């Protein structure tokens, strides 16, 4: 092995450390992050869109208004240290790693660029893969504010979610001091990112629960086809597009004066694991299915209308139809940005697929966003017969990392804010 | 909803039933299966390779020598009926559905082409998606031969796997009367296929266990990059390529006279869920990692050699190195066709990723293929410190469906064979 080991020349090592001989893809690079292909991979123009990097720096974190990627790995963490300085160091280390991984690079000296006697800095399974539009989005749960003297910095908007009728929450899939949402077009890239952050956090944080999502159920791209959920329906047709700066400001981004200054430019994330009773649904008539959603199944058009994007006529739907209850007109105009993924986690003990929707919604304030909406749905939605909420969490999503000196959570953890 | 429902004209209904206005992609169509894009989707030449259909008919089932697709959904089923005629009907229904789904179509009249008063024939979540090179491969487990008077047709090659040292098998992830391997480049297409087969089988079969695989770990394409496993290594570099007809005949396909005639053209599949102790591995030095595999991590070259595809010099490796023990030279020349996938199923109760390799290997006879190989590995492989086999199954894979009148298992279940 010595020969092979010796074959790692310093220049190659350094190159690998920075993510390989990168081709700058200027359009996608922003604020100092250099978009590049992963080590050892030539740029392929045909795959450029899926392969590019998403800029890491900005006023808002990436992964919210960013066009929805195909795959998800989401992890909630518990903090295991009481040492505030160690926690700040972790957030800085995470930021540095996230900056490199989202640009298509490896963590530290990489998977085989370090000392033979030490564990590699990067676990290596994403070597040779493209950046795949990886975004990493960090959040802070309510319980984090019980630590590190942060109690008086907890935003009023970061409420504990109430118990909704029908909730059947599994504690092992609920809550968390921190979260990281990894979205990418290649699942191996998303899994690699979460795993390496967990590894960097060893001894300071531990994964509380995690969730893989195999298929996006929402689009934040105007005019794109709305993907179908596991009930075979298009849902979230009128989602907020990532280009709609007005609606983003109104419904997604925390504004000046909304609460503590450290959250300005941030958002709030509600995550719900929603088990779908696939087998029951599949034995339900087409008419009942369409009545439940208030849409036709083929086109995805609202009841009585010919086209998916037609303005719904709510009174054409049953009073318990999902679209009717969730529509902004029925909710004082409030809307949320949905970014959920379908999941299938094998089979339960009864031969049924353990499948459903991992619902992710971003909003300016859960008290006027998810909470009243879900109260309404939990009380009346015809869909409730076919679904069950089995996991739940809420997180404050701090603003974006501004530049190469900034880090996740700086506005929360330094006194200036 | 009546208007919308009424909007489904008979001609559109019929169209949808056959998978939409299909563009025949001649190159991929074989033996009567027509390759087409899914309903409502225009052909996009740029995505043609990933989007095309794989021919369903042939001497061998697709999904074995077929170039490995990106994603997997695998299900093992238990048979719940003692009625042989009902079981034969199920296999015929499954074959018809598999023929349509692999061509990019829907099951029966589709997701919204049937009667409003009845459940749709197809669950609908794959509408608008491409065929995505979906293959469906069926297999028969040893326990199936305890039913339907099949005991004397069980091949001698279909042995119950022995208990190997270190096995820690979970009964809930082991065995099965039947299996279906669904591989596709789009996970939603693979999930849709298994779900619809399970649905068709309601009351006759039930899912015993299932497994999603998010990333392929093997290649059956000559000269393709070997994908990395979750330990960050390229493994299975010298896998049998789907184009190597000589090696396929020698090591994968059941030949005339190998056993009962009904298996000629078939194969045997061993499936193993291998949990990888990611966190322990990630704290291991690069030198130790490379010694364990007998390869360098960066290039994937065998110890002491510069290139991945160089012929390994086994004596340059430690006696316990994985490559050295698994190499055909150490196993009387025997090799198997590997088609495994990485999985991540959330987190165990201890904050560790429940991740690993869902190992799938096809061979002409497990008694000369997987069993002696695994005995050797289980006894000595340095990798054993970092992995654990937690699920296991073996299946006889019958030959291919020859034409539109043929069906999965015909050679087993009709007297002629």
């Amino acid at each position: 092995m010595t020969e092979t080991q010796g074959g790692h020349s310093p220049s190659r090592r350094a190159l690998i450390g920075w993510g390989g001989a990168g081709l700058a893809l200027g359009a996608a690079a922003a604020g100092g992050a250099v978009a590049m292909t992963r080590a050892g991979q030539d740029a392929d123009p045909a795959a450029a869109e899926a392969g590019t990097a998403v800029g890491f720096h900005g006023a808002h974190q990436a992964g919210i208004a960013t066009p929805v990627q195909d795959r998800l790995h989401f992890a909630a963490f518990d903090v295991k240290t009481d040492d505030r300085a160690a926690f700040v160091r972790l957030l800085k280390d995470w930021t540095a790693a996230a900056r490199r991984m989202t640009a298509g690079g490896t963590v530290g000296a990489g998977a085989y660029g370090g000392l033979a006697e030490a564990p590699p800095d990067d676990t290596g399974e994403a070597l040779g893969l493209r950046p795949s539009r990886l975004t990493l989005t960090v959040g802070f749960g309510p319980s984090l504010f019980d630590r590190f003297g942060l109690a008086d910095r907890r935003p009023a908007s970061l409420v504990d979610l109430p118990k909704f009728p029908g909730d059947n929450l599994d504690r092992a899939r609920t809550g968390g001091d921190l979260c990281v949402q990894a979205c990418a077009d290649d699942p191996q890239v998303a899994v690699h990112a979460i795993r390496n952050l967990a590894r960097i956090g060893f001894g300071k944080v531990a994964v509380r629960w995690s969730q893989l999502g195999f298929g996006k159920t929402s689009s934040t791209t105007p005019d794109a086809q709305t993907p179908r959920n596991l009930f075979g329906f298009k849902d979230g047709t009128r989602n907020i597009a990532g280009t709609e700066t007005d609606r983003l400001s109104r419904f997604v981004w925390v504004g000046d004066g909304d609460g503590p200054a450290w959250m300005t430019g941030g958002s709030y994330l509600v995550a719900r694991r929603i088990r779908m009773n696939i087998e029951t649904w599949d034995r339900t008539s087409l008419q009942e299915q369409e009545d439940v959603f208030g849409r036709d199944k083929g086109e995805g058009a609202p009841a009585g209308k010919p086209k998916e994007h037609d303005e719904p006529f709510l009174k054409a739907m049953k009073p318990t139809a999902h679209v009717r209850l969730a529509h902004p007109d029925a909710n004082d105009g409030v809307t949320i940005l949905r970014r959920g993924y379908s999941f299938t986690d094998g089979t339960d003990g009864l031969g049924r697929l353990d499948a459903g929707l991992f619902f992710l919604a971003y909003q300016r304030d859960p008290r006027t966003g998810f909470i009243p909406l879900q109260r309404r749905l939990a009380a009346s939605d015809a869909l409730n017969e076919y679904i069950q909420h089995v996991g739940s969490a809420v997180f404050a999503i701090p603003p974006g990392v501004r530049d190469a000196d900034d880090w996740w959570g700086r506005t929360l953890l330094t006194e200036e804010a």
Side-chain angles (χ1 to χ4, degrees), chain A:
Chain A
M1 294 306 296
T2 316
E3 285 162 273
T4 307
Q5 191 53 34
H8 298 148
S9 70
S11 63
R12 188 181 177 205
R13 200 175 289 154
L15 201 63
I16 291 153
W18 289 100
L23 176 84
L25 300 166
V34 178
M36 50 180 72
T37 57
R38 278 178 192 272
Q41 184 91 18
D42 288 335
D44 171 1
E49 193 188 343
T52 52
V54 174
F56 182 70
H57 296 138
H60 314 294
Q61 289 194 66
I64 304 171
T66 308
V68 183
Q69 300 94 328
D70 290 342
R71 324 280 169 226
L72 168 82
H73 194 193
F74 188 97
F77 295 85
D78 285 335
V79 173
K80 298 293 183 189
T81 179
D82 290 321
D83 179 344
R84 182 171 168 140
F87 181 62
V88 167
R89 211 155 49 237
L90 169 67
L91 290 171
K92 290 180 175 175
D93 290 346
W94 268 13
T95 309
R99 187 181 282 123
R100 294 175 68 125
M101 290 192 290
T102 54
T106 54
V107 176
Y112 55 97
L115 297 172
E117 301 71 30
D121 285 341
D122 184 285
T123 56
E125 73 272 25
L127 283 172
L129 303 180
R130 298 166 194 286
S132 306
R133 297 199 296 135
L134 173 68
T135 55
L136 294 166
T137 312
V138 80
F140 303 135
S143 51
L144 181 72
F145 295 85
D146 299 338
R147 296 172 172 270
F148 308 127
L150 293 172
D152 62 351
R153 304 190 68 122
R154 177 173 168 176
S157 306
L158 186 65
V159 290
D160 296 300
L161 295 181
K163 184 177 179 344
F164 298 99
D167 274 5
N168 186 16
L169 303 184
D170 176 356
R171 272 181 55 83
R173 296 190 187 277
T174 294
D177 296 331
L178 296 170
C179 75
V180 180
Q181 170 196 281
C183 296
D185 291 325
D186 184 330
Q188 185 126 335
V189 170
V191 166
H192 169 265
I194 293 292
R195 172 188 180 180
N196 279 272
L197 295 180
R199 179 167 182 253
I200 291 167
F202 181 73
K204 297 174 197 159
V205 294
V207 176
R208 180 180 173 86
W209 53 270
S210 69
Q211 179 69 54
L212 230 71
F214 70 79
K216 60 183 178 183
T217 61
S218 314
S219 169
T220 58
T221 311
D223 307 323
Q225 282 260 18
T226 306
R228 291 177 186 271
N229 63 25
L230 288 182
F231 285 157
F233 275 77
K234 299 179 184 179
D235 192 24
T237 284
R238 299 175 60 79
N239 204 12
I240 301 173
T243 50
E244 291 182 278
T245 48
D246 284 358
R247 287 176 86 205
L248 287 169
S249 295
R250 199 157 148 224
F251 296 119
V252 178
W253 304 132
V254 174
D256 261 338
D258 278 354
W262 72 265
M263 272 296 290
T264 301
S267 189
Y268 293 90
L269 169 64
V270 171
R272 305 280 285 186
R273 181 175 159 108
I274 305 177
R275 171 83 186 266
M276 293 162 80
N277 301 325
I278 299 278
E279 290 78 5
T280 310
W281 180 260
D282 287 350
R283 291 198 284 276
T284 303
S285 76
L286 177 61
Q287 184 70 62
E288 161 79 359
Q289 292 186 2
E290 296 189 333
D291 286 349
V292 164
F293 273 96
R295 286 185 199 281
D296 95 294
K297 194 166 189 175
E299 164 64 25
K305 301 280 181 142
K307 287 286 172 198
E308 180 191 343
H309 291 279
D310 287 347
E311 188 60 44
F313 178 58
L314 298 184
K315 288 185 178 160
M317 302 172 190
K318 297 208 167 179
T320 59
H322 181 71
V323 167
R324 182 166 176 171
L325 291 165
H327 194 274
D329 286 357
N331 293 282
D332 303 322
V334 165
T335 189
I336 54 182
L337 185 151
R338 279 155 296 173
R339 241 183 167 276
Y341 287 82
S342 293
F343 70 84
T344 298
D345 290 343
T347 310
D348 69 12
L350 300 167
R352 299 174 306 202
L353 288 180
D354 184 2
L357 168 65
F358 187 66
F359 171 94
L360 294 169
Y362 288 89
Q363 60 232 279
R364 187 171 174 177
D365 190 333
R367 294 172 302 176
T368 53
F370 177 78
I371 293 173
L373 183 64
Q374 180 56 19
R375 277 198 207 283
R376 226 176 134 73
L377 292 173
S380 312
D381 189 353
L383 204 48
N384 294 335
E385 197 177 330
Y386 305 98
I387 62 173
Q388 195 165 57
H389 288 237
V390 295
S392 177
V394 60
F395 300 96
I397 306 294
V401 172
R402 292 183 303 199
D403 54 36
D405 295 324
D406 199 7
W407 45 279
W408 275 340
R410 177 189 53 80
T411 58
L412 170 62
L413 287 149
T414 56
E415 297 309 313
E416 68 191 65

